[in-house]
Amino acid sequence: MADLDGWRRELTDLGLTGYEARVYLALVNRSRYTAAQIARESGVPRQRVYDVLSGLTERGLVRALPGQVARFTAVDPASAIERLMATHRATFSHLEQTTARLVEALVPAWSQGRDETDPLDYVEVLRDREMLSERIEEIQAEAEREILAMAKLPYLTGTSESGIATIHRLNEAGGSVRCLYERDTMDHGEMLADIRRYAAAGEHARIAASVPMRMWIVDGSRVVMSLRDPVAESASTTNVFIEHPALAQCLAYAFEAIWDGAEPVT
């Protein structure tokens, strides 16, 4: 037989074990064999060959011949392979039915789930300083009308070129950017220089005695704020992004109240 290795692989693809493929191919090559002969010709260990022959017989690929010494013969390949394919067809048919049942059961649940919202799906916790900076840049870049900001120690150091670009863009579109800084800012030369850069770009800035938190309100609907740990003298903060117009409106009222009592930057 020409390509035994290839035929063995293809028979195992159809569902036979490696030993079963070896035994069947050995039997195909001769009309009948004893178990001992099959073991020798196929290379299957003799202690395993009876189990293999039993399995092939049950599957209809091998027949036991009558006689004092048990001999075995292979069922013709066309019938044998058709039996193997019939098993695959039955399995595939079962999978198709299972698939249809799953689709029928899960699609309505999936469709209903699209309409459900998590009670807190509009809240995102920004777990580190880098994530906070990225989120601020993102919502500033998406701002269309207005940004209200409060700057509180510890400051995010350095001016942001994207922030400068946003100020220019909003001013040109008729919008505005306003920021409240704490009086302590005056003691930070580098920070003061940054404020003046923002002011030169068109930001409106005022100085308050203090502000309650670091915060950005964008277009009256989105808020980023840093909540300081309430433990005394702790500098740890939790940074939160919330997309909620009602909350943004309430915080804007607080911003305006502080703004009205603050002084222009000189």
Side-chain angles (χ1 to χ4, degrees), residues 11-256:
L11 285 171
T12 56
D13 288 343
L14 287 173
L16 296 187
T17 68
Y19 281 173
E20 287 174 338
R22 285 176 174 273
V23 167
Y24 181 77
L25 288 173
L27 285 169
V28 165
N29 200 35
R30 189 166 175 174
S31 63
R32 65 194 65 197
Y33 266 138
T34 64
Q37 290 170 326
I38 293 169
R40 183 174 62 251
E41 292 297 322
S42 67
V44 173
R46 188 165 182 172
Q47 63 270 28
R48 292 293 313 280
V49 77
Y50 288 101
D51 290 339
V52 174
L53 285 166
S54 176
L56 288 170
T57 302
E58 289 178 5
R59 299 175 72 169
L61 275 66
V62 167
R63 290 199 313 271
L65 300 174
Q68 284 187 328
V69 178
R71 287 180 170 83
F72 301 86
T73 186
V75 172
D76 71 278
S79 299
I81 291 171
E82 175 57 31
R83 287 190 175 96
L84 292 175
M85 284 302 300
T87 300
H88 285 286
R89 291 190 191 102
T91 300
F92 186 72
S93 176
H94 175 71
L95 288 173
E96 281 190 319
Q97 294 172 21
T98 300
T99 299
R101 286 196 300 271
L102 281 171
V103 169
E104 184 179 0
L106 297 179
V107 165
W110 179 86
S111 299
Q112 183 179 358
R114 301 313 92 190
D115 299 327
E116 296 292 332
T117 57
D118 189 291
L120 293 177
D121 64 359
Y122 50 84
V123 177
E124 177 186 355
V125 177
L126 309 173
R127 301 191 179 280
D128 56 46
R129 190 183 185 90
E130 182 179 350
M131 188 180 294
L132 172 63
S133 297
E134 289 177 359
R135 181 54 104 186
I136 292 167
E137 286 197 9
E138 179 183 315
I139 68 168
Q140 284 179 340
E142 294 172 353
E144 296 179 356
R145 302 184 311 276
E146 179 184 62
I147 297 175
L148 306 178
M150 293 184 186
K152 184 177 182 65
L153 285 168
Y155 296 115
L156 295 178
T157 58
T159 52
S160 164
E161 294 306 320
S162 63
I164 295 289
T166 295
I167 294 169
H168 282 303
R169 177 176 59 81
L170 288 179
N171 281 331
E172 290 172 0
S176 67
V177 177
R178 290 186 286 159
C179 186
L180 283 164
Y181 297 91
E182 290 186 309
R183 195 174 305 282
D184 289 347
T185 303
M186 300 297 102
D187 299 328
H188 293 258
E190 185 178 346
M191 185 66 184
L192 192 54
D194 291 337
I195 293 172
R196 287 177 176 149
R197 282 195 64 197
Y198 285 128
E203 178 186 85
H204 302 285
R206 290 190 180 181
I207 301 294
S210 66
V211 296
M213 69 183 77
R214 184 194 297 151
M215 180 177 70
W216 294 260
I217 305 172
V218 176
D219 291 339
S221 62
R222 295 191 285 177
V223 178
V224 175
M225 55 185 176
S226 296
L227 304 175
R228 182 166 293 180
D229 191 315
V231 176
E233 303 202 5
S234 172
S236 174
T237 61
T238 298
N239 306 305
V240 185
F241 168 71
I242 304 175
E243 189 162 4
H244 197 295
L247 175 66
Q249 183 179 22
C250 289
L251 293 172
Y253 289 150
F255 176 91
E256 296 293 356

